[in-house]
Amino acid sequence: MVRSMTGFGRGVTTTEQLQLTVEIRSVNHRFLEISTRFPKEWTEVEVFTKKLLSTKVARGKLDVSVNVKEMEPLGQSIHINWPLVNAYIEAQEELSSKLPLTKQWSMAEILGLEEVVTVKTKELSKEEVLAAIELATEEAASVLVGMRQREGLELLEAVQRLKAMLEAQITIIQKGSAMAVEKYRSKLLARIQEICQADHVEERVLMEVAVFAEKADIAEEIDRLSSHLKQVDETLRDEAAIGRKLDFLMQEMNREINTIGAKNQSAEVASAVVEAKSILEKMREQVQNIE
């Protein structure tokens, strides 16, 4: 199936404790690369999300962000570090035994001591967060894939249209190449007749035409082009990710067309070769957007 590598997806999950929103933006990339922006304490959740997304898409650069909104304040508690408090008291008593200190500590001063009192917020359970992130990511990925599939249909139409145009130019090249040999024979015959005796003309013409035909023969290149175009058709019907294979086929077809251009001895073929290369470049631009 032809799918684009660009798209956007958004998923939202709401529980009693939180509302979690996952957004995924995707652009072209040679491989699959997933960048995430999660709370730093959610390392395990981040790893889980990347693994989940790797089962949904095969290629593209994915930028994933998550937004967490608490539905109601989580419970908080006060923690007193009694060992540290006792250490401060012992330090005060030691100082009092050596210095004339009369003032006692106030409650505000005690609470102000570093790390004596800390406020702890109840944390969300790992299971609840994983369940929420899975639902939101599944929804976001589904929207993303749907958008990539819709754009993929447009890419499919563009590639098929350009492929038909390329095949038309290849037909022109094939016919022009065959005609070039006959034109060369006629031109050579007329030239040789001017400088040779009549009884030697036909033999010389046959030899020269045979050499020319061998040099200008593009049958193998045409056969390989036909094979590559057939593979393009088959690949476009494949359900797996096909972008990299199509890109390889574009390179191979470009190689064959360049070889034809190097062998060409005809103005008509030269024009068709230039047009074929232009069409192929447009095809490759479209293919590079395919997953």
Side-chain angles (χ1 to χ4, degrees):
M1 179 181 293
V2 178
R3 297 199 305 196
S4 167
M5 283 192 285
T6 60
F8 173 80
R10 185 172 184 268
V12 181
T13 299
T14 302
T15 70
E16 293 183 358
Q17 298 290 342
L18 58 83
Q19 183 181 77
L20 191 148
T21 303
V22 172
E23 292 185 345
I24 309 172
R25 292 172 174 79
S26 173
V27 295
N28 295 356
H29 197 274
R30 187 176 180 185
F31 304 104
L32 176 62
E33 180 180 318
I34 305 175
S35 301
T36 53
R37 293 196 301 274
F38 280 29
K40 61 181 180 180
E41 65 272 16
W42 283 19
T43 303
E44 185 176 348
V45 176
E46 187 174 8
V47 172
F48 171 81
T49 303
K50 287 184 176 181
K51 288 183 178 179
L52 178 59
L53 287 174
S54 67
T55 66
K56 304 296 182 181
V57 296
R59 290 179 70 204
K61 187 179 188 309
L62 274 58
D63 185 12
V64 185
S65 63
V66 61
N67 178 266
V68 183
K69 176 183 177 182
E70 295 179 5
M71 300 306 292
E72 59 181 42
L74 296 174
Q76 295 179 326
S77 61
I78 302 296
H79 175 74
I80 300 175
N81 190 339
W82 286 110
L84 185 59
V85 172
N86 292 330
Y88 275 119
I89 292 173
E90 290 176 3
Q92 184 195 35
E93 291 174 351
E94 184 177 352
L95 287 170
S96 298
S97 66
K98 297 180 180 182
L99 298 174
L101 300 177
T102 58
K103 182 181 178 182
Q104 299 296 315
W105 283 350
S106 67
M107 181 63 71
E109 289 173 327
I110 294 175
L111 294 177
L113 293 173
E114 187 175 359
E115 297 184 3
V116 166
V117 177
T118 56
V119 179
K120 290 191 174 181
T121 301
K122 180 183 176 183
E123 295 183 355
L124 295 167
S125 70
K126 181 180 69 175
E127 291 74 16
E128 181 180 6
V129 173
L130 284 173
I133 199 75
E134 181 176 12
L135 288 173
T137 302
E138 286 278 3
E139 181 182 352
S142 177
V143 175
L144 172 71
V145 170
M147 180 177 291
R148 285 162 64 120
Q149 287 176 342
R150 288 191 295 274
E151 291 189 6
L153 291 175
E154 297 179 5
L155 289 173
L156 175 61
E157 293 177 1
V159 170
Q160 289 178 328
R161 182 174 63 254
L162 290 167
K163 175 178 170 291
M165 294 169 62
L166 179 61
E167 288 172 332
Q169 293 303 316
I170 292 173
T171 299
I172 293 173
I173 291 171
Q174 196 170 11
K175 291 180 179 178
S177 178
M179 293 173 61
V181 175
E182 181 58 33
K183 287 182 179 179
Y184 180 77
R185 180 183 180 283
S186 300
K187 184 177 179 180
L188 184 63
L189 178 60
R191 179 61 179 161
I192 292 179
Q193 284 176 338
E194 295 178 3
I195 60 176
C196 296
Q197 295 296 325
D199 55 347
H200 298 297
V201 169
E202 190 63 28
E203 182 180 350
R204 288 288 304 276
V205 168
L206 288 175
M207 290 175 59
E208 292 291 338
V209 170
V211 172
F212 176 83
E214 184 176 354
K215 290 182 178 179
D217 182 32
I218 60 170
E220 290 185 9
E221 288 77 12
I222 293 295
D223 287 344
R224 284 193 288 267
L225 276 173
S226 298
S227 174
H228 294 331
L229 287 167
K230 182 179 179 181
Q231 289 183 68
V232 169
D233 273 336
E234 294 172 351
T235 304
L236 289 172
R237 294 192 293 269
D238 200 333
E239 292 296 322
I242 59 176
R244 294 181 66 185
K245 182 177 180 180
L246 287 174
D247 190 50
F248 171 76
L249 289 170
M250 297 300 110
Q251 295 179 44
E252 291 302 302
M253 286 194 288
N254 187 62
R255 193 195 317 276
E256 301 301 338
I257 291 174
N258 282 335
T259 302
I260 290 172
K263 289 184 174 183
N264 171 57
Q265 300 289 337
S266 162
E268 293 84 351
V269 172
S271 177
V273 166
V274 171
E275 184 63 23
K277 291 178 70 173
S278 175
I279 294 170
L280 191 59
E281 182 60 30
K282 293 176 183 177
M283 282 183 70
R284 189 172 184 182
E285 289 176 0
Q286 296 295 336
V287 164
Q288 288 176 342
N289 295 319
I290 295 176
E291 181 182 8

